[in-house]
Amino acid sequence: MAKTVVELLKKYSGTDLADLCDAAEDGIRAGGGFGWLTPPTRDVMETYWKGVLLVPERRLFVGRLDNTIVGSAQLLRPGKNNEAQAHWATMTTHFVAPWARGHGLAKAILVAVEEAAREIGAQVLNLDVRESQEAAIQLYQSLGYVHWGTHPHYAKVQGKSVAGLFYYKDLV
């Protein structure tokens, strides 16, 4: 049986950065590109992931399958100057590489993000997702996320508009 672990990543070591880039590239090719439609060059991908660890308002959670990073999500807090929205946080870039699905990591990563959001005092967790991400939508709804809005032109994929669905969960 495969070993799965979810952790808050504070620095890259060993093959972590390469593994994360590989998993993200596979996720993008499968249609879950958190903005990208095709994988960028490796230097762009590495710069992106390195930058995530530099932003104080972001926390990067990774899922590992047999010690290899195969997915992630980021917890994003509003900036310190945004007192009016300090009670919420956002989860972004939630994905698991297609070849690593079926081990419960998508749910485990999401639960870890929720726990961390509570620890930092967030009362609400927001997220958004392309309507084409049916498995993710099922997961979010099964864990109590409430759909509050739809953006009909959220993304353009192959020249066609794809709607985006917006969700929140009360963490109190």
Side-chain angles (χ1 to χ4, degrees):
M1 176 162 222
K3 178 183 174 190
T4 61
V5 174
V6 175
E7 65 185 75
L8 173 63
L9 194 70
K10 295 185 178 184
K11 68 178 185 169
Y12 298 106
S13 60
T15 62
D16 286 350
L17 183 58
D19 293 344
L20 184 54
C21 289
D22 290 343
E25 288 170 358
D26 290 343
I28 292 165
R29 284 187 197 97
F34 46 89
W36 279 304
L37 298 175
T38 57
T41 60
R42 182 50 71 111
D43 62 314
V44 170
M45 183 72 78
E46 287 181 356
T47 299
Y48 170 78
W49 287 115
K50 287 177 184 176
V52 166
L53 294 186
L54 298 176
V55 180
E57 292 82 17
R58 289 185 184 263
R59 293 186 182 182
L60 177 61
F61 291 83
V62 297
R64 294 182 187 269
L65 182 63
D66 293 330
N67 295 320
T68 299
I69 294 177
V70 297
S72 78
Q74 295 174 45
L75 176 62
L76 176 59
R77 315 186 293 267
K80 293 182 190 299
N81 64 315
N82 193 347
E83 293 175 338
Q85 295 176 336
H87 66 287
W88 58 258
T90 301
M91 183 184 70
T92 186
T93 65
H94 182 218
F95 79 96
V96 173
W99 53 269
R101 294 176 185 163
H103 298 278
L105 277 168
K107 181 178 180 180
I109 292 168
L110 178 54
V111 168
V113 169
E114 288 179 2
E115 290 172 2
R118 285 185 186 96
E119 288 172 9
I120 64 169
Q123 298 171 3
V124 176
L125 186 61
N126 297 307
L127 63 87
D128 55 86
V129 60
R130 291 183 201 162
E131 70 177 349
S132 57
Q133 301 298 310
E134 295 173 5
I137 292 166
Q138 279 186 323
L139 173 63
Y140 302 146
Q141 291 176 344
S142 76
L143 293 176
Y145 284 80
V146 177
H147 176 236
W148 65 265
T150 301
H151 186 313
H153 306 289
Y154 177 79
K156 284 272 192 194
V157 178
Q158 297 176 347
K160 296 180 182 177
S161 288
V162 176
L165 308 179
F166 292 81
Y167 288 87
Y168 74 91
K169 182 174 182 178
D170 186 340
L171 299 176
V172 178

